[in-house]
Structure formats: C-alpha cells, structure tokens
Amino acid sequence: MTDTSDARPSVARRTVLVASGATAAALAVGAAATTEAPTADAADTAPVAAAAVCTLTKEMTEGPYYLDGQYVRADITEGKAGIPLKLNLTVVDDDTCVPLSNALVEIWHCDALGEYSGFVGNNGHTEPDDGTFLRGGVLTNSSGVAAITTIYPGWYRGRCIHIHIKVHTGVTVTSDGHFTGGQELHTGQLFFNETITTAVARISPYSTNTVTRTTLAQDSIYDEGGAASGLLTLTALGSSTSAGYAGTLTLGVEN
C-alpha cells in the first residue's frame, strides 16, 4: 500500500500548527504489554507554550485513501485492536490565534496492519472492510477543541506512521450522522515520535505487521519541522506502552 500520490506537497493555503497541552483518560485495549511507556525526546517535540504562538507551515497532500462524507463521531475505532490514542486538536485563526468553534476536524488513517478502510488488502492483509473504520470527524467546541478517540496507527509500505486530517467550516450534519457541504480550510498530516513508535511496533497486533517500516527521517512527506510540520505532542496515559497516549496539537488555519 504505497501512498504514491504523497509527493512533496506545495503550499495551497497558509496554515499554522502550534503545540498545545492536554490530558485524557485511558481507553481499554485488547493487546497487553508490560513495557514501560516511553516519553518523547525533547528534541523530537515542540515545547508546550502557555499562550499559542502561530507559526506558518505547509499544507500536505491528502493521499489516495480519502473517502467523502464520513461519520461525525468522537470515537472512530469501531473495535479495531490497537494502542489507545486520545487526540485533542485545537483549531485557531492563523492571524489572531482565536479558537474556531463548530469547525469539523476530520481524520483518517490505517489500522495496526497498515490497512485503510475501503482499501483493505493493499498492504497484504485480509480482514473485514466496512469502509468506515478509523475514519470520521467531530465539531470543535467553544474553545476550538476537537476530541477524537482512535488507535495508534500502523504503517504501510513507503510511508512513516501518520494520520491524515482536514478542517472544514460550515458543514451540515445529516440525519444519518454524516456531513455534507462546507468549506475545506486545511489538509494536512499528523506525525508521531520515533521513540514511541518503536515501542508501539513491538506490541501485538503491530508486531505482526511484517511490512518494513519507514521512519520519520526516511519519509518523503515529513520535513523534520517538528510541531510546525504536524508532529504531535504525545503524553503517556499510563505506565505501559499499551495504556496508550494523548496526542495534542493546535492547528491554525486561514479562515
């Protein structure tokens, strides 16, 4: 499952990403491990600032696995096995850093075996495919925060571990829980600290993914720009890797 359309992106719109702190409760997971939860090296994460400082960054390609009109929901796991990941993503206006409420933050990513819903089999594994697992979005609250529960992504051939993200405004939530319309303000990707990813990769079901993993340094999209390029701030939710992580970032968009 090589993300062949993920060539080095050009700047389509101005966007900003700044680190932000958050806390979250742990989510139960089937896979168990006793490995002590690693912490990210200071060099690999941006410091959490008391007040957001807007920093311009590039948008990134959406890749070939986007599907329109996914569910508006806070939990996108659909029972997928994996290490819990609690995302708290804050959307702000890039000029003023004022939070944007009612903006839809949509994400999608592969499962622990590197398979995307709607495209299962592209990374060499056979599993049920409903076309919706690990896809969805949520509206930001009055503080501009979108809280989404998912799992730590796996990897597929040719790309480092990442999550795709879009920010929309003015969407209409339909009666069946999907969304339509609105304006797309940002398309980007979220990335993960290598020290933590190495620990995650040792734990089942990630450890059963035999595809060679591409690191951040080897990736064709991530440009080593830290939080300004989508690197999440990861905080352990417990004393073991299997307890999961909270991932935080503030996205500034041109509104």
Side-chain angles (χ1 to χ4, degrees), residues 134-201:
L134 304 178
R135 295 178 182 272
V138 68
L139 295 171
T140 57
N141 62 19
S142 60
S143 299
V145 177
I148 303 175
T149 296
T150 185
I151 61 169
Y152 206 101
W155 62 92
Y156 55 95
R157 191 169 291 104
R159 285 301 316 279
C160 70
I161 287 180
H162 62 284
I163 289 175
H164 293 274
I165 186 168
K166 285 181 181 286
V167 178
H168 314 255
T169 55
V171 303
T172 298
V173 179
T174 59
S175 59
D176 60 357
H178 295 272
F179 70 91
T180 60
Q183 179 183 6
E184 181 184 308
L185 298 184
H186 173 70
T187 298
Q189 296 182 26
L190 307 176
F191 297 95
F192 294 78
N193 172 270
E194 272 297 319
T195 299
I196 293 173
T197 290
T198 298
V200 168

Side-chain angles (χ1 to χ4, degrees), residues 207-228:
S207 59
T208 65
N209 186 351
T210 59
V211 172
T212 301
R213 186 171 67 80
T214 298
T215 66
L216 279 177
Q218 296 167 333
D219 191 70
S220 62
I221 301 299
Y222 181 68
D223 61 6
E224 301 183 2

Side-chain angles (χ1 to χ4, degrees), residues 40-90:
D41 294 336
D44 292 332
T45 58
V48 177
V53 179
C54 293
T55 305
L56 285 171
T57 192
K58 297 177 182 177
E59 287 203 317
M60 294 184 177
T61 177
E62 74 175 29
Y65 301 118
Y66 181 67
L67 295 175
D68 287 319
Q70 290 299 314
Y71 285 110
V72 177
R73 53 181 180 174
D75 188 330
I76 66 172
T77 57
E78 292 191 18
K80 275 290 179 181
I83 289 171
L85 179 66
K86 295 281 193 174
L87 293 173
N88 281 272
L89 306 171
T90 304

